[in-house]
């Protein structure tokens, strides 16, 4: 019998995958059982998932990526960078809180009070801007749960603000009638906090360990007496490869490979229980994981079990209909059948068959005062053009507006939101409830090759001009959006190539009552430049076709 090379490849792949599954840490489900139902914790069963229409119609959400790291106003990954000797965040921390051998990230948590937080006011603003769903952060890599967590004593009700942050956001979203999403990032605390095991290499405190190795006994007489720092930092384990030398080594170990330290059974069980508790308490409409594929995959089955429970639980609370949306990063084509693909700070350069989402931010994910002072936020124009491009490719945009530690947003952020709202007031019909057209666009940017870098990270590399057009449709209406202010007549060449025998009933410019002049030729639909455009961001031409 002849065995082909292809057959051998499949044979070895089968046993490799089987071996990987056998090595998985199997989490204990006794405390938080999986809801029985249609979905089982395996990829084949999860592939039955269908994206609900409400999400495909929504297109635009706003995210409050807010937690204790915003208190320092020093940008992203402060809880990791503050333990990196010589780092700008480390230098700030020394001046603000003291040396990290005693005043570690737990002191930042203690300093965070959220004293001016008004979730109802913020969510009402986001809805007015045009958000069709709202996201809040449930925990970050810093491992603090932002609700009254049953399985994590380091939570925002017991320490810091002494408030149930998730409950406040959930109530506000419900009042505004917005689907409510939660983002979960804490699966990576195990490796993310490894810098807290270090010590200074120079100076008077050289060799004195940072507070990542403190124990519950060390808290006697302190404000955190009775709490175990290891429940927060999770650092009773050997370091990942190169972790003591290269802070950036974590980036290549995000999928638990390349020498990453592997979490133990207790850690995986705890993450599973916390996340299940979160789902059962708040029944979120959307659930985002900041992980490659699913949390703790492929080293544990925790993510698969959480996914099955989430879908079954959602169906049980929606009369048997699945209305949930769950996100993962760097998915294979088969995995995109199971959960929605999230692209961080970027977008694919071509349309996608299945619904997907970009998550991005107008500045840093965590509030950064330097960005405010330098005026470096993304503009309303950039956000709108990004949204139009994403929608034309069958995607949604989730936009983070950084929040200060006290719970407020700044005046420049408000101005950007007002700019987005002004465009939406005129043009939102070209965004919401639409579907991709036969082609997503035309112009110089369509021909640009802009590959994704790992989880995304390709935004801003290709610009838009008035020659760039993006299309989408709703019934017999086609929307053609010019990605800048037109200075010449608008030539739509893709229109002629793809419209077939349908006739044009009328063409309008959204936000204008001007009667437009246009001519349909063999090679293009030519629309005479309007005398006045409604805005200087993106002009939308509404082309109604005869049915």
């Amino acid at each position: 019998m002849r065995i082909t090379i292809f057959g051998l490849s499949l044979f070895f792949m089968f046993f490799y995958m089987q071996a990987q599954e056998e090595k998985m840490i199997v989490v204990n489900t006794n405390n938080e059982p999986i809801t029985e139902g249609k979905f089982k914790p395996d990829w084949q069963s999860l592939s039955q998932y269908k994206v609900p229409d409400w999400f495909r119609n929504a297109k635009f959400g706003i995210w409050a990526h807010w937690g204790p790291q915003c208190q320092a106003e020093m940008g992203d990954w402060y809880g990791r960078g503050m333990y990196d000797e010589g780092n700008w965040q480390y230098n700030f921390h020394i001046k603000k809180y003291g040396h990290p051998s005693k005043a570690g990230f737990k002191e930042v948590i203690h300093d965070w009070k959220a004293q001016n937080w008004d979730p109802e006011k913020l969510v009402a603003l986001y809805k007015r801007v045009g958000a069709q769903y709202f996201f809040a952060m449930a925990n970050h890599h810093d491992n603090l749960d932002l609700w009254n967590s049953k399985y994590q004593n380091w939570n925002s009700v017991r320490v810091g603000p002494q408030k149930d942050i998730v409950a406040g956001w959930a109530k506000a979203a419900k009042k505004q009638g917005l689907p409510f999403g939660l983002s979960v990032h804490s699966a990576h605390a195990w490796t993310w906090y490894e810098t807290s095991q270090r010590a200074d290499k120079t100076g008077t405190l050289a060799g004195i360990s940072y507070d990542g190795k403190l124990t519950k006994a060390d808290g006697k007489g302190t404000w955190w007496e009775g709490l175990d720092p290891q429940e927060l930092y999770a650092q009773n384990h050997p370091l990942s490869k190169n972790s003591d030398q290269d802070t950036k080594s974590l980036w290549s170990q995000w999928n638990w490979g390349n020498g990453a330290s592997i979490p133990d059974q207790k850690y995986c069980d705890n993450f599973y229980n916390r996340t299940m508790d979160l789902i059962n308490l708040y029944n979120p409409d959307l659930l985002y994981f900041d992980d490659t594929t699913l949390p703790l995959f492929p080293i544990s089955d925790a993510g698969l079990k959480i996914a099955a429970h989430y879908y079954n639980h959602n169906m049980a609370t929606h009369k048997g209909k699945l209305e949930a949306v769950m996100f993962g990063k760097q998915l294979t084509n088969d995995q995109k059948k199971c959960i929605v693909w999230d692209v961080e700070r970027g977008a694919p350069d071509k349309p996608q068959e299945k619904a997907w989402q970009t998550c991005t931010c107008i500045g840093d994910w965590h509030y950064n005062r330097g960005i405010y002072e330098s005026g470096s936020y993304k503009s309303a124009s950039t956000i709108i053009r990004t949204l139009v491009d994403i929608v034309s490719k069958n995607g949604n945009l989730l936009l983070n507006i950084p929040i200060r530690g006290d719970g407020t947003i700044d005046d420049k952020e408000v101005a950007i939101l007002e700019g987005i709202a002004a465009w939406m007031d005129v043009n939102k019909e070209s965004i919401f409830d639409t579907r991709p057209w036969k082609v997503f666009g035309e112009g110089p940017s369509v021909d640009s090759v802009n590959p994704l870098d790992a989880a995304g990270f390709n935004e801003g590399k290709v610009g838009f001009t008035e020659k760039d057009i993006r299309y989408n449709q709703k019934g017999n209406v086609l929307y053609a959006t010019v990605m800048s202010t037109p200075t010449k007549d608008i030539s739509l060449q893709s229109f002629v190539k793809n419209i077939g025998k349908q006739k044009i009933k009328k063409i309008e410019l959204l936000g204008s009552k001007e009667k437009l002049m246009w001519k349909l030729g063999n090679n293009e639909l030519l629309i005479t430049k309007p005398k006045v455009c409604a805005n200087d961001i993106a002009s939308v031409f509404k082309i109604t076709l005869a049915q």
Side-chain angles (χ1 to χ4, degrees), residues 433-465:
D433 304 321
T434 62
R435 292 293 183 270
W437 192 46
K438 297 176 182 179
V439 295
F440 78 96
E442 59 182 274
S445 63
V446 170
D447 299 324
S448 299
V449 177
N450 188 22
L452 298 174
D453 180 6
F457 305 107
N458 68 343
E459 67 180 8
K461 295 181 180 179
V462 174
F464 299 115
T465 70

Side-chain angles (χ1 to χ4, degrees), residues 88 102 116 130 341 415 478 494 497 533:
W88 63 291
K102 294 186 179 295
N116 296 317
W341 181 35
L478 178 67
S494 294
K497 296 176 182 177
C533 289

Side-chain angles (χ1 to χ4, degrees), residues 362 371-377 410-417:
I362 64 170
I371 290 179
Y372 169 78
E373 292 176 347
S374 65
S376 301
Y377 288 134
D410 64 50
D411 60 309
K412 293 180 182 178
E413 293 176 309
V414 172
I416 292 166
L417 289 169

Side-chain angles (χ1 to χ4, degrees), residues 66 114-119 122 163-169 406-408:
W66 182 54
Q115 65 272 23
N116 296 317
W117 176 51
D118 186 343
L122 287 172
K163 299 173 183 178
D164 192 323
I165 303 297
V166 173
W169 287 126
D406 71 351
T408 62

Side-chain angles (χ1 to χ4, degrees), residues 184-411:
V184 175
H185 309 247
S186 62
H188 279 281
W190 180 275
T191 48
W192 190 82
Y193 261 134
E194 285 185 356
T195 51
S196 70
Q197 291 195 44
R198 295 178 180 177
D200 284 358
K201 295 179 181 179
T202 61
T204 57
L205 296 176
I208 299 177
S209 298
Y210 301 153
D211 71 333
K213 285 287 193 177
L214 291 178
T215 66
K216 187 174 182 178
D218 294 318
K220 188 174 182 180
T222 69
W223 68 265
W224 49 274
E225 184 172 357
L227 291 169
D228 185 356
Q230 287 312 308
E231 195 175 337
L232 178 69
Y233 297 137
Q235 290 307 301
N236 282 334
H237 65 81
L239 294 173
S240 301
K241 182 180 179 180
N242 296 327
S243 179
D244 58 336
Q245 302 171 16
D246 182 7
T247 303
K248 295 180 180 179
S249 63
L250 177 64
W251 299 351
S252 66
Q253 298 167 342
W254 206 248
N255 63 351
W256 303 105
N258 296 316
S261 175
I262 302 303
D264 60 20
Q265 181 78 47
K266 181 180 177 181
Y267 183 88
C268 295
D269 285 345
N270 180 256
F271 174 83
Y272 168 83
N273 287 332
R274 288 159 65 185
T275 309
M276 294 285 280
D277 177 47
L278 180 73
I279 293 168
N280 295 336
L281 282 174
Y282 299 103
N283 195 23
D285 302 290
L286 310 100
L287 187 61
Y288 169 106
F289 291 114
D290 191 7
D291 297 275
T292 302
T293 314
L294 285 172
L296 299 173
F297 186 84
I299 62 170
S300 170
D301 67 350
L304 289 168
K305 286 178 175 175
I306 290 167
H309 171 75
Y310 177 55
Y311 288 157
N312 291 336
H313 182 268
N314 182 270
M315 291 181 71
T317 57
H318 288 86
K319 299 180 180 179
K321 187 177 181 181
L322 182 57
E323 297 287 358
V325 186
M326 182 167 54
F327 303 90
K329 298 180 178 180
Q330 294 184 256
L331 306 179
T332 66
N333 288 333
D334 284 339
Q335 290 166 349
K336 289 176 184 177
K337 299 174 184 177
C338 307
I339 55 182
V340 173
W341 181 35
D342 180 84
V343 180
E344 182 174 349
R345 289 191 182 273
D349 51 16
K350 296 295 182 285
Q352 300 297 302
E353 178 185 353
K354 295 188 177 298
W356 59 281
Q357 176 180 267
T358 283
C359 64
T360 193
C361 181
I362 64 170
D364 275 2
W365 290 114
H366 290 97
Y367 193 86
N368 187 333
R369 176 155 293 277
I371 290 179
Y372 169 78
E373 292 176 347
S374 65
S376 301
Y377 288 134
K378 291 187 180 79
S379 66
S381 298
T382 296
I383 296 302
I384 290 299
R385 290 167 190 159
T386 299
L387 173 64
V388 171
D389 179 61
I390 288 168
V391 169
S392 75
K393 297 171 181 173
N394 202 27
N396 286 28
L397 172 63
L398 177 62
L399 179 67
N400 176 51
I401 306 298
I403 300 177
R404 292 178 288 205
D406 71 351
T408 62
I409 61 176
D410 64 50
D411 60 309

